[in-house]
Amino acid sequence: MSLFLAPRSTDLDGSHKMPLDLPHAKVEPVDAWKPEATPYESGFSVREQEPLPRAPELPASQGDPNCKVDLAFLMDGSWSIGKRRFKIQKDFLAEVAQVINVGMAGPMMGIIQYGDEPVTEISLRTYSTSRDVKSAIDKIVQKGGLSNV
């Protein structure tokens, strides 16, 4: 497919008409729709944008040690996500358990798996260490079913 570019003029009635004979209105075909074409080859110019100013990087915060938060996660156990993505969820949840440092004095973590029927895999107060939560996550089996959230 070829693209032809030419200047337009607008009449008072708002309709667009092509100029009849202007010395500077040279029309050349531009084949910009080829998959291998780049903007530089097509005759179009690419305007480089100014980089946005970056905010100064702050040291990583360890959070407020006095903040108490319990986290509950919904985990998709339906067949539509497949075994690989189910494992990705488990790996993510195990990593979260390690990062938040689950404990009786700190945050607790719970997981509900859904599909045809929701199942509480880990209740908030079941495990008191990140290691125990991670071990329990490793044992979660995909229940299957439809994605009934």
Side-chain angles (χ1 to χ4, degrees):
M1 175 187 312
S2 294
L3 172 69
F4 294 93
L5 300 176
R8 287 185 163 182
S9 64
T10 305
D11 286 352
L12 294 177
D13 66 353
S15 64
H16 295 286
K17 296 186 178 178
M18 294 295 292
L20 294 176
D21 189 21
L22 297 176
H24 65 278
K26 183 177 178 186
V27 179
E28 294 184 20
V30 177
D31 198 3
W33 305 109
K34 294 188 297 188
E36 65 275 0
T38 65
Y40 301 107
E41 296 168 349
S42 67
F44 294 105
S45 64
V46 177
R47 183 175 65 124
E48 297 211 12
Q49 296 186 4
E50 294 290 322
L52 296 174
R54 294 185 67 145
E57 290 193 26
L58 301 174
S61 171
Q62 297 302 313
D64 181 355
N66 298 318
C67 181
K68 304 294 185 224
V69 170
D70 292 336
L71 299 172
F73 292 90
L74 287 177
M75 184 178 193
D76 188 348
S78 66
W79 293 130
S80 63
I81 66 158
K83 293 199 178 293
R84 183 181 64 82
R85 287 186 280 175
F86 186 76
K87 182 177 178 341
I88 290 171
Q89 288 181 100
K90 287 175 51 172
D91 293 345
F92 170 77
L93 293 171
E95 184 68 27
V96 169
Q98 289 296 119
V99 170
I100 67 171
N101 197 20
V102 172
M104 293 309 270
M108 301 302 287
M109 186 171 164
I111 299 173
I112 298 171
Q113 182 180 168
Y114 67 90
D116 281 339
E117 297 291 326
V119 175
T120 301
E121 297 287 354
I122 299 174
S123 296
L124 285 173
R125 304 235 178 255
T126 304
Y127 299 102
S128 59
T129 68
S130 292
R131 183 178 301 135
D132 293 341
V133 172
K134 187 173 188 230
S135 176
I137 290 170
D138 289 340
K139 295 175 186 168
I140 294 175
V141 176
Q142 186 174 8
K143 303 287 187 225
L146 302 175
S147 299
N148 296 320
V149 180

